[in-house]
Amino acid sequence: MAEGCADSEEVLDPTRGIDKTIENLVLQGKHNELDSYFQNQAFRNASKGVAWDLVPVVCTHLTKETEIERPDIVSACEVVLRNLAEISNPKELLLVLLEQADSFKDDIKFQVLLQPVQKCLLSLPSKRIHSLAIALETLYAHIKSLPEPEEKNLEGEEKVLMEHDENYMHLTRSVNLLLDFLQAFVDDLKAVPIMVSKKERKEILMFLMKMFDYPMILLDATIEKENGKAKAKSECRVCAEKSMKMIAILQPNFVQLIDEFEDHNEERKQKLLENKKKPTTSKDTVPDMDYFDDMELEEAISTKGMAYFAYLAFGENLEIENIPQVFTPQYLLEVCAPYLEEMMTTQKPTVLLKAVQMLETRLAAIPNKSLSAELFELNIVANLVDCLIMILTTCPSKELRTLCLKVFPQVLYKFEPKGRNMFMYYVLKKARHSGVTGYSIGLLKEEIDANLKEGSQNEYFRGHNLEKLLNLVFALPDGVTTDLLEGSERIMSALNLLRYLILRDHPKANNTGVWKYMDKIDKDYCETLRTAINISRAHYQLDLKKVKSGKKYEDDFDMSF
């Protein structure tokens, strides 16, 4: 055994070119010999200065092809980089590693370099914020370069197939690796007071919001349930939980965190505006960048990333104990509203689904008839209603439209009577889709019926307030030229409501007050509808006559060679 060690030390004589010796062992895949080599103090000392030359050479072997054909070489590379991270100057080695990381070709190089980069950063003195920011930006560039999963409009159990999509798995795996990399720095800050580590905490939080923006917002973090019991967690769900646990350590109050993010973006915006207004020395001179301090040089925090954070916290209820119980459900809805709107204005069904699920969760926490009408007056909820209508009428996903149809009336039910009146007026005034209008008229009928059963105590669904709503119900969008087929759902719902009012509210009682303007409804709506039906009937009779005579085919048929 002693002779074997002597022979090994003779072969690995430090005077014979350390970098070449290590490279030869790497090419032979002798990772055990490399481990033994780095245990020798003399060679450890001699290896400290070869990182600049050795790391680029080692990294050339970190490819997918090498992993498949010669996994022993990849293992040998890992041994070299791990040991160099232990013995080299951390700041110098970090620069070399990041230079290599700047040109990731595949996941192998990305995966292997994470550990030595992490080791170097943890070995730096306390002021490592700048180095950490550069490292995270470089590593994120690889995530950003990965192809986005294709939207396949999978629904229900079909969505499981998405987890087997190559791009989807690639993204999820890379995100998981990067979160594990980040965990060490979060753990390092656990014992450090928040005020002392405020800048580093903020740096990590901003990076997580960037990860939320892309690609995590595209991944499915829900837990599938079977017979009321949760199935095994997907890797995407694990990534979401890891992220939220880290955020909870960095800032235990989620509502305060959102306030801080919004303040950051607003302050940055204001200072950028101030700098634009600052006079320059000449027409060709750009604004003085020295005017900016550290705060102003920081990038804006992604609103989409904050929206995904809000979804995980307020929609999936991850780390829910970090939402102070002092806040009312109405206030939390106000907090979430801009982020709901942010997600609902995208064209991606996966993101839209998250938004509607989050809205459903927030509404479920609010008692019926408790929301103030002020939320509608301030457009806080009105904008969300617009988004729901847009999804209902344009989204190709049946699952998403069905969920929207379930959530839509829940928005109405949460409001007090005045707010419900405003909701109905807003939808009837703004909706252009016959199906949405017809459905809303059905909701109005339910409100009138409930009010009659309660003795017509609600002034917002009788008398003058009801008249304003019925003026919108009993109206044809284009008068006598209205396309009756296209508007059939709206028309049938309106006629159904009219029939209900006539039968339910006797003229002598007139609890709704509708009989005061029944003549107006007959003249302005019913007569116009009769005329529209006659015009439509005459049009179709003319077409039918042409078809029977063969003239329509003669007029419409055109053949050319």
Side-chain angles (χ1 to χ4, degrees):
M1 179 66 72
E3 287 182 7
C5 289
D7 291 342
S8 177
E9 289 187 9
E10 184 178 350
V11 172
L12 299 176
D13 190 325
T15 62
R16 295 185 179 181
I18 297 296
D19 53 341
K20 291 297 180 183
T21 304
I22 295 175
E23 185 182 357
N24 288 335
L25 289 172
V26 167
L27 290 173
Q28 295 173 52
K30 295 184 176 181
H31 48 87
N32 291 328
E33 285 86 341
L34 281 165
D35 254 337
S36 300
Y37 164 68
F38 279 106
Q39 297 307 313
N40 185 303
Q41 191 59 45
F43 290 104
R44 285 175 72 87
N45 293 336
S47 300
K48 290 181 179 179
V50 300
W52 283 99
D53 299 320
L54 190 57
V55 170
V57 175
V58 169
C59 286
T60 59
H61 304 296
L62 297 176
T63 63
K64 189 70 176 176
E65 292 74 20
T66 307
E67 186 194 37
I68 295 171
E69 297 171 7
R70 292 290 306 275
D72 54 332
I73 291 181
V74 175
S75 298
C77 293
E78 289 178 330
V79 170
V80 173
L81 293 172
R82 185 181 70 244
N83 281 282
L84 285 177
E86 292 176 359
I87 64 177
S88 303
N89 179 298
K91 198 165 187 178
E92 292 178 1
L93 181 61
L94 181 63
L95 292 174
V96 184
L97 291 171
L98 291 181
E99 186 178 335
Q100 293 302 310
D102 200 30
S103 57
F104 288 125
K105 292 184 179 178
D106 52 47
D107 275 357
I108 306 305
K109 194 174 183 182
F110 173 77
Q111 183 176 342
V112 172
L113 288 182
L114 283 174
Q115 188 179 3
V117 169
Q118 183 190 69
K119 178 69 177 175
C120 290
L121 285 167
L122 290 171
S123 301
L124 289 174
S126 56
K127 294 183 178 180
R128 65 180 176 209
I129 300 173
H130 184 63
S131 299
L132 178 61
I134 294 173
L136 291 175
E137 190 63 35
T138 305
L139 295 170
Y140 179 69
H142 173 65
I143 303 287
K144 193 77 173 174
S145 69
L146 298 178
E148 184 177 314
E150 183 184 349
E151 290 279 356
K152 297 179 180 178
N153 294 327
L154 300 176
E155 299 181 0
E157 294 182 356
E158 293 177 345
K159 289 191 287 187
V160 177
L161 298 173
M162 193 67 181
E163 295 178 12
H164 300 285
D165 177 84
E166 186 177 346
N167 292 339
Y168 195 91
M169 291 190 296
H170 197 176
L171 269 177
T172 307
R173 186 169 55 249
S174 299
V175 166
N176 210 352
L177 288 169
L178 194 46
L179 290 174
D180 288 340
F181 169 86
L182 203 58
Q183 185 68 56
F185 302 99
V186 176
D187 292 340
D188 206 34
L189 294 171
K190 277 184 180 179
V192 183
I194 291 179
M195 293 309 296
V196 176
S197 57
K198 191 174 181 180
K199 287 189 176 181
E200 189 167 348
R201 287 171 184 263
K202 185 177 181 180
E203 188 65 46
I204 297 173
L205 285 167
M206 289 176 65
F207 179 73
L208 284 169
M209 292 305 115
K210 192 180 292 186
M211 289 274 285
F212 284 172
D213 181 309
Y214 183 86
M216 292 184 70
I217 197 171
L218 301 177
L219 308 179
D220 185 5
T222 56
I223 292 183
E224 293 294 326
K225 293 185 177 181
E226 187 174 359
N227 298 324
K229 294 183 179 180
K231 293 183 180 180
K233 295 176 184 177
S234 66
E235 191 173 0
C236 301
R237 176 70 179 199
V238 172
C239 289
E241 291 182 0
K242 281 182 183 179
S243 304
M244 294 301 283
K245 286 182 185 299
M246 285 192 273
I247 292 173
I249 292 171
L250 298 169
Q251 171 50 278
N253 186 331
F254 285 172
V255 177
Q256 184 179 336
L257 178 61
I258 289 177
D259 287 341
E260 290 173 358
F261 284 161
E262 291 176 347
D263 290 344
H264 169 93
N265 284 347
E266 185 59 31
E267 187 175 344
R268 182 179 182 276
K269 180 181 177 181
Q270 290 300 321
K271 291 186 176 180
L272 285 170
L273 288 173
E274 289 174 14
N275 189 66
K276 284 182 180 179
K277 294 176 182 177
K278 188 179 178 184
T280 55
T281 54
S282 69
K283 292 183 180 179
D284 299 325
T285 305
V286 297
D288 182 12
M289 294 308 293
D290 290 336
Y291 170 77
F292 293 101
D293 57 18
D294 290 340
M295 166 66 202
E296 294 160 313
L297 287 172
E298 288 177 343
E299 60 184 309
I301 298 171
S302 162
T303 306
K304 195 190 297 181
M306 291 167 64
Y308 185 67
F309 165 69
Y311 160 73
L312 293 178
F314 301 102
E316 287 295 317
N317 291 328
L318 290 181
E319 302 297 315
I320 193 172
E321 61 273 13
N322 293 89
I323 302 173
Q325 296 301 306
V326 68
F327 296 116
T328 65
Q330 175 172 328
Y331 176 75
L332 293 179
L333 178 63
E334 292 180 48
V335 170
C336 295
Y339 304 112
L340 284 164
E341 190 177 346
E342 174 72 23
M343 288 194 287
M344 283 179 166
T345 51
T346 182
Q347 299 299 314
K348 300 182 184 298
T350 52
V351 181
L352 290 173
L353 183 60
K354 290 177 176 65
V356 181
Q357 288 172 336
M358 177 180 166
L359 179 57
E360 183 183 29
T361 303
R362 285 296 92 218
L363 290 173
I366 300 172
N368 286 350
K369 300 183 179 180
S370 64
L371 284 185
S372 169
E374 290 180 359
L375 289 180
F376 233 100
E377 292 171 346
L378 298 172
N379 289 332
I380 292 173
V381 176
N383 293 338
L384 298 180
V385 172
D386 285 341
C387 294
L388 284 173
I389 292 173
M390 184 62 67
I391 296 171
L392 279 168
T393 55
T394 63
C395 184
S397 169
K398 182 181 178 181
E399 178 188 24
L400 188 49
R401 294 197 308 273
T402 302
L403 181 60
C404 271
L405 201 60
K406 178 184 174 184
V407 172
F408 188 77
Q410 291 301 318
V411 180
L412 169 69
Y413 300 153
K414 301 305 172 182
F415 277 98
E416 61 184 7
K418 182 181 178 182
R420 292 187 180 206
N421 180 280
M422 293 176 70
F423 176 96
M424 295 306 313
Y425 187 85
Y426 184 84
V427 173
L428 292 170
K429 183 86 173 173
K430 200 150 188 182
R432 293 291 178 267
H433 190 275
S434 175
V436 173
T437 308
Y439 183 68
S440 302
I441 293 171
L443 293 177
L444 175 59
K445 177 187 168 185
E446 291 177 7
E447 291 298 315
I448 296 171
D449 185 59
N451 192 36
L452 287 172
K453 287 177 180 177
E454 294 170 1
S456 301
Q457 296 177 6
N458 182 353
E459 63 176 307
Y460 292 101
F461 288 97
R462 61 181 172 86
H464 177 66
N465 289 316
L466 179 59
E467 182 185 3
K468 289 196 298 183
L469 297 176
L470 295 181
N471 285 339
L472 297 174
V473 170
F474 299 120
L476 294 176
D478 299 313
V480 294
T481 60
T482 298
D483 187 328
L484 300 184
L485 186 62
E486 185 179 317
S488 59
E489 291 179 75
R490 171 179 181 156
I491 294 168
M492 293 304 295
S493 293
L495 292 175
N496 187 32
L497 175 60
L498 182 59
R499 176 178 179 275
Y500 164 81
L501 289 170
I502 292 172
L503 296 176
R504 179 66 176 80
D505 191 14
H506 195 274
K508 291 182 179 179
N510 196 21
N511 292 315
T512 60
V514 70
W515 287 98
K516 291 181 180 179
Y517 37 90
M518 191 62 77
D519 290 342
K520 182 175 182 294
I521 293 173
D522 183 43
K523 181 180 179 182
D524 294 347
Y525 181 71
C526 295
E527 287 187 11
T528 305
L529 181 59
R530 289 190 199 97
T531 305
I533 291 173
N534 290 333
I535 292 173
S536 182
R537 182 187 293 117
H539 173 75
Y540 285 114
Q541 285 176 343
L542 181 62
D543 280 353
L544 183 61
K545 188 176 180 181
K546 286 182 179 180
V547 169
K548 288 180 177 178
S549 65
K551 187 176 180 182
K552 184 171 180 65
Y553 289 116
E554 292 173 8
D555 292 343
D556 295 347
F557 191 68
D558 183 19
M559 181 181 288
S560 61
F561 294 92

